[in-house]
Amino acid sequence: MKSFIEQSNFLKGNSLEKIASEYGTPLYIYSEDIIRSRMKDVANVITKYPYKANYSCKANSNLTILKIAHEEGVNCDAMSEGEMRLLLKAGFAPEEIFFVPNNVDNKELQFAIDNNIMTSLDSIDQLRRYGELNPGGKCAIRINPGVGAGHHEKVVTAGKNTKFAIAEEDIDEAIKVAKEHNLTICGINQHVGSLYMKPDPFLAAIDQFLRIAMKFENLEFIDFGGGYGIPYHKLDDEAPFDMEELTREWTKRLDKFVEEYGYAPLFKSEPGRYCVAEGGIILGRVNAVKYNNGNKYAGTDVGMNVLARPTLYDSWHDIEVFSNDNAVVSDEKTPVTVTGNICESGDKLCKDRPMPEIKTEDLIVVLDAGAYGYSMCYSYNTRLKPAEIMIMSDGSIKKIRNRETFEEIFASMDCE
Ligand code: LLP
């Protein structure tokens, strides 16, 4: 039996031990092949009508990954001035960027206006603010379709309990505020939330959203948001998200809409996780194994500062163990709690998970860490943010981010 990392040839023959000694741990490792193939998937979900996928770069905003997205012909959405700046730096033209912020100040809106980046406003207040800054301009508004979905309540972004978007009952007011400032609402967008494994909630939201879209005249684009899941339980053979079903069902709804609306505006989507999650892993080292009150703990250098998802949402990530570069794969398993090196009891990658033998100095590989992994890293306990490398299609290794340094942390406080 082979590990997933071996089966999928993720490393293209590179040795984990060699990588660990050259680049250190904890380390993010990406696969150029996988990321390119997922970008292609999302670029081609809708083929019958004008369509553009926007990669949602909050999932992973490494410059090399953004350049790959650009090469694969997807556009991007941005949540902040920082993301807009990165996208411009990666080579995206302003018209290939969609700014979808929440609760931003004038400075961020002005940055988008100065750079001709289409912006979506997600409250009447923000729309008014935008209108004052850019009277006579064009913008989009984000609408709550009333249907939300996601792997955890913290990532559901539509429905009854959310800070995001404009409620359907406030649309008339939004149109009035836009008129007062001579703003043209040329697009509408939605986002139901993050990670559903069946397209059903997304399709239910599409039904509502397209009904609402009929209230707007002359729309140039309709953006449906993202949220497509990936199989985090792949070692238990979880099935992937069915893109073909999505295409079929989504296109059916677009057929009906286009007939009623009279023409097809540009349709868009905003997937983040789907594009990058499976294309990234974390390599970590086991620094201590111990029993506390009969419970087995494997203490690693992959703390909650390196991967926040398990602590934040109780998220599952498959973990594989390597000993002297050989995958440890066995039928006999004992419960292990894999922890990090952070001073919090919640600093756990998993709790009491049946795992093969795991020893001090072994390496662990955390799967499916390419999305909301590095982009949510932080420096708690004054730990350094990890380095990132990419296994290129030809098997070579490219360093795509240096490990943070103590000097950088200290310099940021050198304010005199
Ligand atoms: N569009 C908007 C407006 C969003 O807010 C998001 C994600 C996306 C698109 C992309 O969603 P995706 O396709 O990646 O599901 N940190 C959480 C996920 C937070 C998602 C935030 N918004 C996690 O690690 O699960």
Side-chain angles (χ1 to χ4, degrees), residues 54-59 77 79 100 142 151-152 154-155 157 164 189-196 223 225-229 232 269-275 308-309 312-313 315 317 371-373 375-376:
N54 284 352
Y55 165 54
S56 191
C57 74
K58 63 194 71 121
D77 83 56
M79 180 70 186
V100 188
R142 176 166 171 180
H151 67 86
H152 189 283
K154 288 179 184 162
V155 299
T157 53
F164 294 103
N189 58 304
Q190 67 158 20
H191 176 63
V192 296
S194 197
L195 206 169
Y196 37 85
D223 181 335
Y228 325 145
Y232 281 99
S269 65
E270 294 168 5
R273 182 190 315 271
Y274 183 91
C275 304
R309 305 190 68 256
L312 203 50
Y313 320 113
S315 295
H317 283 261
Y372 307 109
S375 65
M376 291 172 72

Side-chain angles (χ1 to χ4, degrees), residues 28 35 59 75 103 115 127 154-155 157 196 228 286 349 357:
Y28 274 85
I35 292 175
N75 289 351
N103 304 334
N115 286 280
L127 183 63
K154 288 179 184 162
V155 299
T157 53
Y196 37 85
Y228 325 145
V286 182
L349 281 173
E357 197 188 355

Side-chain angles (χ1 to χ4, degrees), residues 30 57 112 136 151 209 236 255 262 270 313 317 338 353 394 397:
Y30 301 99
C57 74
H151 67 86
F209 193 46
D236 293 323
D255 286 342
E270 294 168 5
Y313 320 113
H317 283 261
V338 182
R353 185 179 300 178
D394 63 4
I397 295 179

